[in-house]
Amino acid sequence: MASYLEDLVDSLISSSALVTYWNYIFPVLVGLYLAISLYDKHRYGRNKKLRITEPAATEKSGTKLDGIEYVGDLEHAEYDPVPALEEKPHIPYSGATVTLATDPLEAANRFYAIANNRRSVRKFSSRSVDVAIVERCIQAAGTAPSGAHTEPWTFCLVSDPTIKANIREIIEAEEFVNYTQRMAKQWVTDLRPIRTNHIKEYLTQAPYLVLVFKQTYGYKDSSAGTDKKQHYYNEISTSIATGMLLSAFQCAGLSSLVTTPLNCGPMLRTLLERPPNEKLLVLLPVGYPADDCTVPDLQRKPLEDILVRY
Amino acid sequence: MASYLEDLVDSLISSSALVTYWNYIFPVLVGLYLAISLYDKHRYGRNKKLRITEPAATEKSGTKLDGIEYVGDLEHAEYDPVPALEEKPHIPYSGATVTLATDPLEAANRFYAIANNRRSVRKFSSRSVDVAIVERCIQAAGTAPSGAHTEPWTFCLVSDPTIKANIREIIEAEEFVNYTQRMAKQWVTDLRPIRTNHIKEYLTQAPYLVLVFKQTYGYKDSSAGTDKKQHYYNEISTSIATGMLLSAFQCAGLSSLVTTPLNCGPMLRTLLERPPNEKLLVLLPVGYPADDCTVPDLQRKPLEDILVRY
């Protein structure tokens, strides 16, 4: 194949074939370029700069294991790397000292009662909420575990009405395209019982919006230097933190809704001036339900349908 | 461009150009084919069979939007699809009636104190735990929200010592390869302060292991018929449920550890005889810390580092 190609290249250069058959070659080259750029766009997404593979000679570069994309820093290839966390003596831990009730079964029952009382709310009251409550809930979410303790999350708390209106504008424009063009018919149909559409009044109704960003990588120096730090399992970690955020809201009597504004991430990131290592994971309006709030008449799966004993 | 291409095709067919210049066209076609197949492989991954694109004529097949791979069922192409959930009148919802304390700020403070008391535990006591506590915590996790209320999770609760030993054997064998070969040097180094290696005593020490599986799709008929049901955002939903599970454990005074056994998913799925639509997300040992348990001397980021106000 190689020598065949060499012959071809030779004949193209030595003869005037390249010029003569340019009419035929040009469209094919365009096709090739399109195919490659499509592949590239898909592989690296829009922000090409974000994925730089580790160049260390002894390792497989850019290895993707179970969904982890390895991000290194070309300028700082370390053959004797130092850990992102400081190495200190470990300290004793005797287990939970703060719980919900003295009796553990009673505590589990109480938490279940709180959690089972939660519903996704799509119509909010304008009743104000003490910002200290919401911030304490976010602080609780920040105690979530994360891969190699990277804490790869940023919580953007929006109360400014103009910014909420801008967010609504961005999301409604995209969601209109999503519902009418991008989403499959089955998907739109599956959402019919929940009665959602591209109109998102809750984005301006709710006193707060919490936009949860996952940090796809970080910096070793907290002052956002140049030395990049790997954020292992950042999506799972940030989603777990979101689960703790929902638990906190529910404990505090606040209602919310987990939304995933399709294709709006980059625009919302720009609006909130977040750095390129942050990607929107979910957006949650937070507040109290409107007086006339209704929710779908859903049942949850019984325990026997979600639990298997071994 | 279109008429230019038509002319080109016409001239290729009417003349013997196609035959004459086959030497030039063939390698370019090979290049095109390679580029397209590379793109396809990346797009659909290894498990081609699991991803069957929706054939409905009016929709883009296999559309991938913000990471959602659309799975349809070729044999059941519905041009007038029915929703996976029943369409019923909505019911009023007045907000949380069960909370952690009457005063919402006090409730948020109490939940934060519970959450902040959590540490990841890697050394467990053999002290037994009432299974009812663990099951109630799992039931609380099952109240998590999910895309289009698909509840795409299965919690496998393992107490059998033989199965725990089998799980440990599978994970330690893979983790040995992970630590010595698959993981990048930086990754292994980042884990050094946490002192983890491929030996996972906690897998047999802890009284329970909870293996959380995400269901990548489901069935419309709960008796696992042939009609597949789309599970939107199943990974984020199941991770959020895991965050609620951790909250529940902590409320009940139980300790655990979120682990992601790299490359062990398929073997553990086979061991536990889970169906092909279930994929391992995380594995959590659950119990009380050993008397001599120690944890890394870590600090959590202060609120100001994870919260941005707008």
Side-chain angles (χ1 to χ4, degrees):
Chain A
M1 188 79 183
S3 70
Y4 173 80
L5 277 173
E6 277 167 28
D7 288 353
L8 176 70
V9 170
D10 278 356
S11 78
L12 280 174
I13 292 166
S14 62
S15 76
S16 62
L18 199 65
V19 177
T20 315
Y21 308 125
W22 185 240
N23 272 357
Y24 304 94
I25 295 163
F26 181 69
V28 181
L29 284 179
V30 168
L32 250 177
Y33 173 79
L34 281 176
I36 290 168
S37 61
L38 252 176
Y39 171 72
D40 252 37
K41 194 175 166 196
H42 185 85
R43 174 151 194 174
Y44 301 105
R46 291 173 196 175
N47 299 307
K48 250 187 183 171
K49 279 165 287 178
L50 292 185
R51 305 265 169 99
I52 306 163
T53 53
E54 169 75 294
T58 50
E59 294 136 29
K60 289 185 214 160
S61 297
T63 313
K64 198 172 178 180
L65 296 167
D66 271 7
I68 308 164
E69 198 87 36
Y70 193 77
V71 184
D73 192 328
L74 279 172
E75 293 158 276
H76 297 269
E78 285 165 306
Y79 293 88
D80 189 16
V82 290
L85 292 171
E86 195 187 338
E87 281 181 283
K88 285 192 285 190
H90 283 205
I91 53 171
Y93 180 68
S94 56
T97 51
V98 189
T99 59
L100 213 152
T102 317
D103 176 62
L105 183 55
E106 189 198 322
N109 287 342
R110 279 196 62 194
F111 183 78
Y112 169 68
I114 292 169
N116 197 36
N117 193 225
R118 191 196 57 78
R119 290 303 306 264
S120 292
V121 162
R122 290 179 174 79
K123 193 162 189 182
F124 286 85
S125 156
S126 56
R127 187 181 146 196
S128 70
V129 175
D130 179 359
V131 71
I133 303 170
V134 181
E135 293 194 359
R136 189 67 83 218
C137 291
I138 290 174
Q139 201 172 7
T143 68
S146 56
H149 194 56
T150 46
E151 303 171 277
W153 40 65
T154 304
F155 298 89
C156 294
L157 179 57
V158 180
S159 55
D160 183 294
T162 313
I163 299 181
K164 285 196 283 181
N166 291 340
I167 291 173
R168 181 173 170 180
E169 209 173 305
I170 288 172
I171 294 179
E172 288 189 343
E174 279 299 311
E175 288 286 68
F176 179 74
V177 185
N178 291 336
Y179 274 85
T180 54
Q181 292 172 36
R182 294 192 195 118
M183 286 157 67
K185 202 172 179 184
Q186 181 65 53
W187 191 356
V188 175
T189 308
D190 282 348
L191 287 174
R192 214 162 63 203
I194 297 168
R195 296 189 195 159
T196 64
N197 58 33
H198 72 281
I199 304 291
K200 310 287 182 190
E201 280 183 15
Y202 55 73
L203 291 172
T204 44
Q205 272 174 348
Y208 297 100
L209 301 179
V210 180
L211 288 88
V212 184
F213 286 83
K214 57 178 183 185
Q215 299 172 351
T216 54
Y217 59 87
Y219 298 98
K220 278 178 190 163
D221 179 353
S222 60
S223 61
T226 52
D227 218 1
K228 282 179 188 168
K229 189 176 74 169
Q230 199 55 36
H231 279 178
Y232 311 97
Y233 299 103
N234 61 76
E235 177 160 318
I236 293 178
S237 302
T238 308
S239 301
I240 288 175
T242 304
M244 295 185 65
L245 182 63
L246 288 179
S247 303
F249 284 152
Q250 200 60 35
C251 283
L254 291 174
S255 285
S256 69
L257 169 70
V258 177
T259 72
T260 47
L262 202 58
N263 287 0
C264 302
M267 271 181 286
L268 294 174
R269 186 172 69 72
T270 305
L271 177 73
L272 299 181
E273 298 177 321
R274 300 313 305 154
N277 63 331
E278 297 187 4
K279 289 189 175 179
L280 184 67
L281 182 76
V282 288
L283 181 155
L284 297 87
V286 182
Y288 296 107
D291 289 340
D292 60 345
C293 173
T294 60
V295 294
D297 190 8
L298 299 174
Q299 300 302 312
R300 290 191 172 116
K301 286 181 184 168
L303 182 63
E304 298 308 311
D305 285 6
I306 63 169
L307 173 67
V308 189
R309 297 175 190 85
Y310 296 86
Chain B
M1 188 77 182
S3 71
Y4 172 79
L5 277 174
E6 277 168 29
D7 287 352
L8 175 69
V9 169
D10 277 357
S11 78
L12 280 174
I13 293 168
S14 62
S15 75
S16 60
L18 199 64
V19 177
T20 314
Y21 309 126
W22 185 240
N23 273 356
Y24 305 94
I25 296 164
F26 180 69
V28 180
L29 285 180
V30 168
L32 252 177
Y33 173 79
L34 280 176
I36 290 168
S37 61
L38 254 175
Y39 172 71
D40 251 40
K41 194 176 163 194
H42 186 85
R43 175 153 193 175
Y44 299 105
R46 293 175 196 172
N47 297 308
K48 252 187 180 167
K49 277 166 289 178
L50 292 183
R51 310 262 168 100
I52 307 164
T53 54
E54 170 75 294
T58 50
E59 294 136 30
K60 290 186 214 161
S61 297
T63 315
K64 195 171 178 181
L65 296 167
D66 271 5
I68 308 165
E69 198 83 38
Y70 192 77
V71 184
D73 191 329
L74 280 172
E75 292 159 278
H76 297 267
E78 285 165 307
Y79 293 89
D80 189 16
V82 290
L85 293 171
E86 197 186 337
E87 280 181 285
K88 286 191 285 190
H90 284 206
I91 53 171
Y93 180 68
S94 56
T97 52
V98 190
T99 59
L100 213 153
T102 317
D103 176 62
L105 183 55
E106 189 197 322
N109 287 341
R110 280 197 62 195
F111 183 78
Y112 169 68
I114 292 170
N116 197 36
N117 192 226
R118 191 196 58 77
R119 290 302 307 264
S120 291
V121 163
R122 290 178 172 79
K123 193 163 188 181
F124 286 85
S125 154
S126 56
R127 187 180 149 197
S128 70
V129 175
D130 179 359
V131 70
I133 303 169
V134 181
E135 293 194 1
R136 189 68 82 217
C137 292
I138 291 174
Q139 200 172 9
T143 68
S146 56
H149 193 55
T150 46
E151 303 170 278
W153 40 66
T154 304
F155 298 90
C156 295
L157 179 58
V158 180
S159 55
D160 183 295
T162 313
I163 298 180
K164 284 196 284 182
N166 290 340
I167 290 172
R168 182 173 168 181
E169 209 173 305
I170 288 173
I171 293 179
E172 288 190 344
E174 279 301 309
E175 287 287 68
F176 180 73
V177 184
N178 291 335
Y179 274 85
T180 54
Q181 292 172 36
R182 293 193 195 117
M183 286 156 68
K185 202 171 177 182
Q186 181 66 53
W187 192 354
V188 175
T189 308
D190 282 350
L191 287 174
R192 214 163 61 202
I194 297 168
R195 298 191 194 158
T196 64
N197 58 32
H198 72 281
I199 304 292
K200 309 287 182 191
E201 279 183 15
Y202 55 73
L203 292 172
T204 45
Q205 271 174 348
Y208 297 100
L209 302 179
V210 179
L211 289 89
V212 184
F213 286 84
K214 58 179 182 184
Q215 299 171 351
T216 53
Y217 58 88
Y219 297 98
K220 278 177 188 161
D221 180 351
S222 60
S223 60
T226 51
D227 220 0
K228 282 179 188 171
K229 189 176 76 172
Q230 201 52 38
H231 279 179
Y232 311 98
Y233 299 103
N234 59 76
E235 178 160 318
I236 294 178
S237 303
T238 308
S239 301
I240 287 175
T242 302
M244 295 186 64
L245 182 62
L246 288 178
S247 304
F249 284 152
Q250 200 59 34
C251 282
L254 290 174
S255 286
S256 69
L257 168 71
V258 177
T259 72
T260 47
L262 201 59
N263 286 3
C264 302
M267 272 181 286
L268 294 174
R269 187 173 68 72
T270 306
L271 177 73
L272 299 181
E273 297 178 322
R274 301 311 307 155
N277 64 330
E278 297 187 3
K279 288 187 178 181
L280 184 67
L281 182 76
V282 288
L283 180 156
L284 298 86
V286 182
Y288 296 106
D291 290 339
D292 59 345
C293 173
T294 60
V295 294
D297 190 9
L298 300 174
Q299 300 302 313
R300 291 192 170 114
K301 286 181 186 169
L303 182 62
E304 298 309 309
D305 284 6
I306 62 168
L307 172 69
V308 189
R309 297 175 188 85
Y310 297 86

